[in-house]
Amino acid sequence: MFSTPFLDIPPLAAAAGTVRLPGSKSISNRVLLLAALASGTTTVRDLLDSDDTRVMLDALAALGCGIDRSDNTLRIEGLGGKLRTPEASLFLGNAGTAMRPLTAALALLGGEFELRGVPRMHERPIGDLVDALTQLGCHIDYLGNPGYPPLRIHPVALDSLQLDAPIRVRGDVSSQFLTALLLALPLAARRDIVIEVVGELISKPYIEITLNLLARFGIVVKRDGWQRFTIPAGSEYRSPGEIHVEADASSASYFIAFGAIAHGSGIRIEGVGADSIQGDIRFVEAARQMGARVESGPNWLEISRGIWPLKSIDIDANHIPDAAMTLAVMALYADGPSTLRNIASWRVKETDRIDAMANELRKLGATVEDGPDFIRVHPLAPADWRAASIRTYDDHRVAMCFSLAAFNPAGVAVRILDPHCVAKTFPDYFETLFSVARAVEVPVICIDGPTASGKGTLTVEVARRLGYHYLDSGSLYRVTGLAMRRSGLDATAEHEARIAELARTLPLGFSEGSVLLAGEDVSDAIRSEAAGMDASRVSALPAVRTALLALQRSFRRLPGLVADGRDMGTVVFPDAKLKVFLTASAAHRAERRYKQLISKGISTTIDTLRADLEARDLRDSSRSVAPLKPAPDARLLDNSFLSVEQSVEQVLDWWQQVQPFESS
């Protein structure tokens, strides 16, 4: 997961490959609560691992549920409708699928509870649900603004509840209020319990998910249209023993859109398909209306580009409220204005999504009209696209759907601010996107310099701050030198061809900062002074450099690369957007190396180290192939008197200067 302040997505040209999506958030948190309320143990497979499910699991553990996780399987020992913890304070983040259902369930379970979340959760309405529960006789206090969390729930006796009249709840603000009552009221079903929906019920497909899962746990709710629901007397939660969470259909919408927009052989999505119980699977119909080619099976989808430009769309999107956000960005690629209607629920989600989408689409250059329950997006001509820093409002879906803008025909990059917000439902979203996307050009930052100049430390930190991949080219030469020694060879012209063959076939791997050779951790072995000398010698052999050139270039992967070495900017990546040549006097470098070696218990002298460094500099700068020297367009950075942080800030400032975005 990217936890950087921003993530720059370079212009994307094509998409092809297969993605396996995480489990559905809507299904996951409903299943977790039902498993907790039921008797016995429920095995849950392919549960979504995200912020929202973690806060639900933390809450259930605090309530006394036994939870055992191993690999892709979770086992929950249910409460059987009886609390083991009569009092608790629960933090539920910004998870509406945890806050609303737990409010209803805990109001009926008979304990003393406090429910809180992040500041945005305290702005999301819950008053209609609390009103419905109060009708029953439940006792709930607002701890802040009336109608909003945080809440304090007080115990009530089930036999004191008023169940003889229908329970009325509004349906036109959030379907989660009705879902919460449906999930919780079987706890009190000593008689038939009737729920009546006031107003037009929005997001009906999410209620279908709730009813489907209730049936899996032994509770068959009778439905009279979408206005009246009856929970039969004697209803009792029964664990199905094992349940599988299908992949998230809302998350599928982004990859359906990629397939519809991008050149390439198309995208295959596994884990969700025609048999999905999720309403957002109907996004497929909207994508087809816009011109996408879509084929499907029980649990897979295949999407490719069809009609181009996409056809504009005018749609009542109430049945796909989350996935419809993706349509708003797809509309930029259409042949005319597209209108999404009946989306008032967007305004009470993780953020006011109508305002958020309108604001960020305008940054890209689009003309956007919006109102209380609609948004109209006009397409962009190639010349009208603008590079933009997209504010995400701590809303995972804003972050994900705006990644679609990177496929723009103008070839401009897109910056996603606070990309880590996708952890709410899809922590590895961007990694999954980059696994199937093809860029016009993957950006590279080269940091070259002499031995002991600190380029490795600088490169690692710059890569971390940008969320980019990292290449320590010196480690490749050091491993080659190690392999040479183990094979009984010398860095001479006589052995050059054999050493080059070793380099070509190195079983090399990198894992959490370690360098692996055929599975063996050789990180320490290649960091000795002798290994450094061997690396310098083998790097002077033209055949070895040629053998390693393709390997080094293979590290150029989305979203970008920071590469350190001695010829990254001159030979390996001559087209890099930023080239830095790091320098420091031999005296300063010797002093740094001396401190490093002494701290490791290695005896040496500064004079000896300085002499070795000067000899190595001379050898590296005078070799016939790729001599050590700054690229003509490199920026010189003398770090003799700079801290690592100062050097990092300077490189990041230079990088910002060559980017099309305003400072973040």
Side-chain angles (χ1 to χ4, degrees):
M1 180 181 68
F2 288 90
S3 56
T4 52
F6 61 84
L7 175 63
D8 291 341
I9 305 179
L12 302 177
T18 299
V19 297
R20 180 89 187 178
L21 301 176
S24 161
K25 176 189 71 170
S26 298
I27 294 176
S28 291
N29 268 354
R30 284 167 171 81
V31 164
L32 289 177
L33 182 57
L34 287 168
L37 296 175
S39 299
T41 300
T42 303
T43 299
V44 185
R45 300 194 183 279
D46 295 327
L47 181 77
L48 171 66
D49 182 10
S50 73
D51 288 350
D52 278 19
T53 54
R54 288 185 201 117
V55 296
M56 176 65 97
L57 283 167
D58 288 345
L60 297 180
L63 296 173
C65 288
I67 296 173
D68 178 37
R69 181 189 289 275
S70 61
D71 297 328
N72 213 24
T73 299
L74 185 87
R75 290 177 178 80
I76 300 180
E77 181 188 349
L79 300 173
K82 293 185 173 64
L83 281 176
R84 295 177 188 152
T85 305
E87 184 175 353
S89 178
L90 305 177
F91 175 76
L92 301 173
N94 198 12
T97 56
M99 176 67 77
R100 275 75 177 260
L102 277 171
T103 294
L106 294 176
L108 299 174
L109 281 170
E112 187 85 18
F113 301 101
E114 188 174 297
L115 275 59
R116 296 182 174 273
V118 299
R120 173 57 185 171
M121 177 56 79
H122 297 170
E123 298 172 351
R124 298 177 68 180
I126 201 169
D128 294 313
L129 174 60
V130 172
D131 288 348
L133 292 166
T134 302
Q135 294 174 44
L136 292 173
C138 296
H139 187 185
I140 302 173
D141 294 331
Y142 296 111
L143 300 180
N145 292 329
Y148 300 86
L151 307 173
R152 177 167 288 280
I153 299 172
H154 303 282
V156 295
L158 287 179
D159 56 13
S160 69
L161 298 179
Q162 304 299 312
L163 300 172
D164 51 339
I167 301 162
R168 295 167 62 81
V169 64
R170 283 183 62 183
D172 56 355
V173 176
S174 173
S175 65
Q176 289 179 358
F177 301 155
L178 175 57
T179 279
L181 293 173
L182 290 168
L183 293 174
L185 283 172
L187 290 167
R190 290 173 172 78
R191 54 171 296 165
D192 284 0
I193 300 176
V194 177
I195 305 170
E196 287 186 351
V197 176
V198 179
E200 177 68 19
L201 178 62
I202 63 173
S203 306
K204 296 180 181 70
Y206 287 104
I207 301 303
E208 291 180 328
I209 293 175
T210 301
L211 297 176
N212 183 295
L213 293 174
L214 278 165
R216 293 287 307 274
F217 281 83
I219 296 167
V220 179
V221 177
K222 300 174 184 176
R223 178 167 70 86
D224 183 5
W226 293 104
Q227 302 302 127
R228 188 179 177 91
F229 299 81
T230 302
I231 299 171
S235 292
E236 186 176 346
Y237 305 101
R238 295 193 303 273
S239 171
E242 181 172 306
I243 192 166
H244 166 78
V245 177
E246 66 180 54
D248 187 57
S250 302
S251 297
S253 71
Y254 313 115
F255 295 95
I256 293 170
F258 293 146
I261 292 171
H263 291 287
S265 57
I267 300 289
R268 180 180 173 91
I269 300 168
E270 295 184 346
V272 67
D275 289 351
S276 173
I277 66 172
Q278 300 169 73
D280 273 355
I281 196 63
R282 293 172 64 186
F283 180 85
V284 168
E285 300 168 13
R288 284 185 173 129
Q289 287 181 48
M290 296 190 78
R293 291 195 184 100
V294 184
E295 297 181 9
S296 64
N299 65 344
W300 59 268
L301 300 165
E302 289 183 351
I303 307 93
S304 59
R305 188 171 176 174
I307 296 172
W308 193 259
L310 295 175
K311 296 170 65 177
S312 61
I313 193 170
D314 189 322
I315 185 175
D316 182 331
N318 184 263
H319 60 296
I320 52 170
D322 288 342
M325 295 174 68
T326 310
L327 294 174
V329 183
M330 290 176 71
L332 299 174
Y333 302 91
D335 58 4
S338 294
T339 305
L340 310 180
R341 305 182 187 276
N342 201 7
I343 54 171
S345 66
W346 281 23
R347 295 202 180 273
V348 294
K349 296 286 189 175
E350 283 80 347
T351 187
D352 183 329
R353 286 176 168 171
I354 293 180
D355 280 355
M357 294 299 293
N359 292 341
E360 305 313 306
L361 287 165
R362 290 180 183 121
K363 287 183 183 177
L364 293 169
T367 298
V368 183
E369 305 158 59
D370 60 277
D373 65 348
F374 79 91
I375 189 169
R376 183 175 297 111
V377 182
H378 294 252
L380 278 170
D384 295 335
W385 283 84
R386 296 199 299 260
S389 293
I390 301 299
R391 181 185 171 198
T392 53
Y393 307 86
D394 197 27
D395 189 330
H396 55 136
R397 301 215 179 276
V398 173
M400 291 187 279
C401 68
F402 272 96
S403 62
L404 290 166
F407 285 96
N408 66 82
V412 297
V414 176
R415 172 169 288 179
I416 305 294
L417 302 178
D418 299 318
H420 52 85
C421 66
V422 300
K424 182 176 175 67
T425 53
F426 198 160
D428 296 330
Y429 170 75
F430 290 108
E431 290 87 343
T432 305
L433 164 62
F434 296 146
S435 74
V436 295
R438 304 292 179 267
V440 176
E441 179 182 331
V442 176
V444 176
I445 300 173
C446 293
I447 300 178
D448 288 315
T451 298
S453 58
K455 58 185 180 294
T457 301
L458 176 61
T459 301
V460 168
E461 184 58 20
V462 169
R464 187 189 69 80
R465 296 273 288 272
L466 293 174
Y468 281 6
H469 298 285
Y470 159 60
L471 169 60
D472 172 6
S473 68
S475 70
L476 306 186
Y477 288 98
R478 286 171 178 266
V479 172
T480 301
L482 178 64
M484 173 191 73
R485 286 294 175 195
R486 289 181 173 182
S487 298
L489 305 175
D490 292 315
T492 61
E494 178 186 359
H495 293 156
E496 181 175 353
R498 292 177 63 187
I499 298 170
E501 183 59 28
L502 281 175
R504 261 190 297 272
T505 58
L506 279 178
L508 190 63
F510 298 91
S511 176
E512 298 180 355
S514 298
V515 182
L516 307 178
L517 180 61
E520 176 193 353
D521 188 342
V522 295
S523 304
D524 292 336
I526 65 171
R527 296 304 173 193
S528 67
E529 287 299 297
M533 295 297 290
D534 281 342
S536 183
R537 293 188 183 100
V538 298
S539 68
L541 300 174
V544 173
R545 302 195 67 81
T546 300
L548 289 177
L549 185 60
L551 179 60
Q552 291 174 98
R553 288 176 174 166
S554 72
F555 281 83
R556 188 174 193 167
R557 300 189 296 269
L558 284 167
L561 174 69
V562 186
D564 89 63
R566 293 177 176 80
D567 61 352
M568 294 296 101
T570 53
V571 175
V572 184
F573 301 110
D575 60 341
K577 292 188 69 174
L578 175 64
K579 300 171 187 175
V580 176
F581 193 83
L582 193 64
T583 63
S585 68
H588 281 94
R589 288 186 284 137
E591 184 177 351
R592 291 173 186 167
R593 180 57 59 87
Y594 175 78
K595 291 178 180 178
Q596 290 175 349
L597 295 177
I598 292 299
S599 68
K600 296 178 181 179
I602 300 174
S603 179
T604 186
T605 67
I606 292 181
D607 289 342
T608 299
L609 290 172
R610 179 172 178 172
D612 286 343
L613 289 172
E614 289 174 341
R616 192 178 305 183
D617 289 349
L618 178 63
R619 185 168 56 252
D620 289 343
S621 60
S622 61
R623 65 193 179 204
S624 59
V625 178
L628 171 65
K629 64 179 182 179
D633 54 346
R635 306 194 190 204
L636 301 182
L637 178 58
D638 188 333
N639 70 350
S640 297
F641 299 99
L642 297 180
S643 67
V644 173
E645 179 61 24
Q646 288 172 322
S647 297
V648 169
E649 290 299 330
Q650 180 60 76
V651 173
L652 291 176
D653 181 62
W654 284 338
W655 182 241
Q656 184 67 44
Q657 292 174 23
V658 300
Q659 293 293 86
F661 311 107
E662 296 180 0
S663 177
S664 299

